[in-house]
Amino acid sequence: MSRYPLANVHPEAKIGNNVIIEPFATVQNDVEIGDGTWIGPNAVIMEGARIGKDCKIFPGAVISGIPQDLKFKGEKTTTEIGDRSTIRECVTINRGTVDKYKTVVGADCLIMAYAHLGHDCLVGNHCILGNAVQLAGHVIIDDFAIFGGACAVQQFSKIGAHAYIGGGSLVRKDVPPYTKAAREPLSYAGINTVGLRRRGFTSEKINEIQEIYRFIFLKGLNNSKAIDLVEKEIAASTERDYILDFIRNSERGIMKGYGGND
């Protein structure tokens, strides 16, 4: 570990090999930091933080602060950050409550400056949260989801894998996988074709996903009828079943279709 003399590191914190802790950073007790991670100046790593290998925590970030929840009674909870994730300037990530006992950011994520992740959020791998994205508590985000800057996400919302949320969006409903979401109120804006191609989805698979969402969002059907038709008309696949399970299990309901259809 390369610890500068002006860094404040608790003697019982568990620090891996080749970790750099810059001046004026604070690392409290009950913290674990993996090999090769860099902690920038004035970052604060609070009790319960579990930071993986080769992460970068930029100046002013506060990791594992207590939840902004009046029901929190000091229970032992954690904030977990996966390997190779980057947390930019002034990000705040609160640790969990008795709901999940942890807040999680997966591996290979980029959380840009001034973002906030509330207690008990579960963020998957390879996700990007733009500048000033605000997640209320209990938000679940699956792998490869991307948020433009200044999005605000209501508590208990769910975002599917490979979804793209346009900057400045207010997310009050669940966003199904592979879609783009924009407008106010938040609505279907097509599928995330560019992102899917970048991640190796074939043209045939992209066309299949588009056809599924034509039933869900573009034919004026309610969700139950659309799901029934998709099951009849489109052969089972991993992507089809994931989409249908996501919609069936949505407790908040999914975003509107183009033109305002439910």
Side-chain angles (χ1 to χ4, degrees):
M1 177 183 73
S2 177
R3 168 187 166 184
Y4 286 84
L6 294 177
N8 180 14
V9 180
H10 193 282
E12 295 184 15
K14 297 178 181 178
I15 312 297
N17 298 319
N18 301 314
V19 172
I20 297 173
I21 302 176
E22 298 278 7
F24 307 110
T26 297
V27 179
Q28 295 185 346
N29 190 20
D30 189 27
V31 167
E32 299 176 10
I33 300 176
D35 297 347
T37 284
W38 174 77
I39 308 296
N42 297 299
V44 181
I45 314 301
M46 303 186 78
E47 292 187 10
R50 306 288 185 264
I51 299 174
K53 298 177 181 179
D54 299 312
C55 293
K56 291 181 174 62
I57 312 295
F58 276 72
V62 180
I63 309 300
S64 204
I66 65 171
Q68 298 177 116
D69 183 342
L70 296 176
K71 300 185 296 299
F72 181 71
K73 302 302 181 185
E75 51 267 23
K76 185 177 177 62
T77 61
T78 60
T79 295
E80 302 174 8
I81 298 176
D83 297 343
R84 299 174 302 281
S85 284
T86 297
I87 311 297
R88 292 301 304 250
E89 295 84 355
C90 301
V91 167
T92 54
I93 304 177
N94 293 165
R95 59 187 173 102
T97 68
V98 293
D99 177 46
K100 297 184 177 69
Y101 285 94
K102 62 184 178 180
T103 301
V104 177
V105 175
D108 301 292
C109 290
L110 171 59
I111 312 298
M112 295 188 193
Y114 293 97
H116 171 73
L117 281 69
H119 58 86
D120 302 288
C121 287
L122 303 179
V123 178
N125 301 317
H126 302 280
C127 293
I128 300 174
L129 275 59
N131 294 308
V133 168
Q134 306 291 295
L135 304 185
H138 313 281
V139 171
I140 297 175
I141 301 173
D142 289 344
D143 296 349
F144 289 100
I146 297 176
F147 290 75
C151 292
V153 185
Q154 191 166 333
Q155 63 266 31
F156 296 101
S157 297
K158 296 181 180 179
I159 311 298
H162 301 278
Y164 176 85
I165 317 295
S169 294
L170 304 178
V171 182
R172 305 181 184 94
K173 295 285 189 178
D174 294 348
V175 178
Y178 314 114
T179 62
K180 293 185 295 185
R183 309 184 184 95
E184 172 59 28
L186 196 71
S187 305
Y188 176 68
I191 70 166
N192 185 15
T193 305
V194 173
L196 295 177
R197 285 176 177 158
R198 286 174 177 169
R199 295 167 205 138
F201 283 71
T202 65
S203 296
E204 292 75 17
K205 184 58 64 177
I206 291 171
N207 289 337
E208 174 194 323
I209 293 168
Q210 284 179 321
E211 187 63 22
I212 292 168
Y213 282 118
R214 288 191 185 99
F215 285 97
I216 301 298
F217 286 124
L218 302 181
K219 293 183 179 292
L221 304 170
N222 64 41
N223 288 338
S224 297
K225 181 64 173 177
I227 287 171
D228 289 342
L229 285 174
V230 169
E231 289 184 319
K232 291 177 182 177
E233 300 292 334
I234 298 176
S237 68
T238 299
E239 291 77 13
R240 189 205 77 165
D241 293 346
Y242 173 39
I243 292 168
L244 298 186
D245 287 345
F246 184 98
I247 295 170
R248 286 193 186 101
N249 294 326
S250 173
E251 296 178 1
R252 302 190 62 83
I254 64 171
M255 65 182 176
K256 293 182 176 295
Y258 180 75
N261 294 320
D262 291 329

